[in-house]
Amino acid sequence: MPSFSYILQQITIYYGIPVLAAGLVGGTLSSIVFLSLKTFRQSSCAFYLTVMSIVNIGQLLTGLLSRIMINGYGNDLTTTSEFYCKLRYFLLQFCTLLSLTSISLATIDQCFTTSLSPRWQRWSNLKIAHRLILLFTIVWALHGILYLVFFVQIYSPDLGKTTCSITDATFLVYHAYGYFLILSGFLPIGITILFALLAFHNIRRSMHQNVPIFHRELDKQLTMMVLVQVVVNALTLLPSNVLTAVQKDNSTISDPVVAARVQFAQNLSILWYYLNFTSPFYIYLCVSERFRRQFIYVIYDMHFNRYRRPQIVINQVVPTI
């Protein structure tokens, strides 16, 4: 019977690489569409989704790519370079938190913009969106200093190898429960579900109100895109966060056999977890016919066909025979 490590290696290679490729392509195409159309450039919700798409690419490169190299090919740079040991976990928490913050702000923004009250609608604008993203970029970067300090290389004589891990017991508890369960788990999931449902309720109410058709269609499109993504976020984040929190807190598991099984399940859940950062573009294509038309227009009409247009050479004199 194959060992857990062999099964994990094969799953990591044959599942992780396609997910990584799909995520990089999807994140790039999402960013291109959002940045190319004036409709999206003037929308604060689309701005949050653009930031999320860009940050998701960084998350996949620092997180999933490293995991493929570690579990799939046995090449762990965090054990050979203390600088990379610290940098990887700094970037992981920064990209994760900024991505989840962006989708949370996008759902809150859609709740405001679809509200029938002008008082709440005023909170949905690009100036506020830019300031909030700048604020949270600074906050999560400062938060990452903890990871630069407490993640260190440790040599284990029993295992005969070096690992990149946390030695401070207090920070380990915070990392397991404060970061995994709250900041990157129940808090963003709860916020996104609540405000996505409120935005959906506002959309249904606006169907009977005198709202310009252009704004109504844009709000419906963005709300549906965000609502489905919120559901996918909950399904992909919670299993990994719960299992990782349990596995990080070694005091909850004393049986080595049970610990090995939990670690195997946790590694599988992390691979599943990265679907959260891969899926947004494909969610948009599936749930929004309008986005599919916009995508085709941006890629083929605005960019691809621009390079295929024949160049007209002027000031040529046709010779006479």
Side-chain angles (χ1 to χ4, degrees):
M1 181 178 177
S3 64
F4 283 156
S5 60
Y6 177 79
I7 296 173
L8 179 63
Q9 179 190 39
Q10 298 304 304
I11 294 176
T12 301
I13 294 173
Y14 294 106
Y15 169 84
I17 292 177
V19 169
L20 174 64
L24 296 179
V25 171
T28 302
L29 292 177
S30 293
S31 302
I32 291 173
V33 173
F34 288 138
L35 293 173
S36 297
L37 294 178
K38 186 178 180 180
T39 300
F40 289 133
R41 291 199 304 270
Q42 294 179 338
S43 167
S44 49
C45 178
F47 171 73
Y48 293 128
L49 297 181
T50 305
V51 173
M52 185 191 69
S53 298
I54 295 172
V55 174
N56 284 353
I57 294 175
Q59 167 70 350
L60 291 170
L61 289 175
T62 57
L64 182 55
L65 179 59
S66 295
R67 185 158 292 274
I68 291 171
M69 297 304 298
I70 294 170
N71 292 337
Y73 298 100
N75 184 10
D76 188 356
L77 293 179
T78 63
T79 62
T80 58
S81 170
E82 187 163 11
F83 171 77
Y84 184 69
C85 165
K86 294 176 178 292
L87 180 64
R88 178 174 184 263
Y89 285 98
F90 170 85
L91 293 175
L92 274 176
Q93 65 84 35
F94 175 79
C95 293
T96 299
L97 293 177
L98 190 55
S99 175
L100 296 177
T101 299
S102 297
I103 186 61
S104 299
L105 292 174
T107 57
I108 295 172
D109 183 88
Q110 275 306 103
C111 180
F112 288 157
T113 195
T114 56
S115 173
L116 298 180
S117 170
R119 182 184 64 176
W120 293 114
Q121 290 177 1
R122 285 196 295 268
W123 286 96
S124 173
N125 66 73
L126 274 174
K127 183 178 292 186
I128 292 178
H130 292 161
R131 291 175 178 175
L132 285 175
I133 287 297
L134 177 60
L135 172 64
F136 280 105
T137 298
I138 296 172
V139 169
W140 299 137
L142 293 175
H143 177 265
I145 294 176
L146 296 172
Y147 289 79
L148 294 175
V149 173
F150 289 109
F151 265 93
V152 294
Q153 287 183 327
I154 305 171
Y155 178 76
S156 173
D158 297 333
L159 298 176
K161 64 178 183 180
T162 302
T163 58
C164 177
S165 57
I166 301 170
T167 57
D168 185 86
T170 302
F171 185 70
L172 181 62
V173 172
Y174 166 76
H175 181 61
Y177 296 104
Y179 171 72
F180 274 109
L181 283 186
I182 299 176
L183 289 181
S184 63
F186 291 111
L187 181 61
I189 290 173
I191 290 174
T192 52
I193 290 176
L194 173 63
F195 283 95
L197 291 176
L198 290 174
F200 183 72
H201 174 70
N202 291 341
I203 286 292
R204 295 188 63 181
R205 290 179 58 196
S206 69
M207 300 296 293
H208 307 288
Q209 302 293 327
N210 186 21
V211 179
I213 186 66
F214 171 78
H215 292 293
R216 180 185 298 171
E217 289 302 313
L218 178 61
D219 290 340
K220 283 174 58 180
Q221 176 191 12
L222 290 174
T223 301
M224 186 56 63
M225 288 163 56
V226 168
L227 185 62
V228 176
Q229 188 174 337
V230 165
V231 175
V232 173
N233 284 2
L235 294 176
T236 54
L237 290 177
L238 278 181
S240 169
N241 287 341
V242 172
L243 284 172
T244 300
V246 172
Q247 194 268 337
K248 291 290 184 184
D249 187 3
N250 297 325
S251 63
T252 60
I253 303 175
S254 57
D255 188 338
V257 176
V258 175
R261 292 176 178 174
V262 170
Q263 185 173 5
F264 176 72
Q266 181 246 350
N267 283 321
L268 292 182
S269 69
I270 289 178
L271 293 174
W272 171 256
Y273 160 89
Y274 281 106
L275 282 178
N276 175 65
F277 306 99
T278 297
S279 61
F281 171 72
Y282 306 99
I283 291 174
Y284 306 155
L285 287 180
C286 291
V287 304
S288 174
E289 181 183 356
R290 194 167 186 247
F291 185 83
R292 291 195 293 270
R293 294 197 304 267
Q294 291 166 329
F295 168 68
I296 293 172
Y297 171 75
V298 167
I299 298 302
Y300 288 97
D301 293 346
M302 291 185 64
H303 297 291
F304 183 71
N305 287 338
R306 182 175 61 182
Y307 298 103
R308 297 184 60 188
R309 292 171 185 164
Q311 295 183 351
I312 301 176
V313 181
I314 61 174
N315 295 331
Q316 279 192 340
V317 177
V318 179
T320 58
I321 299 177

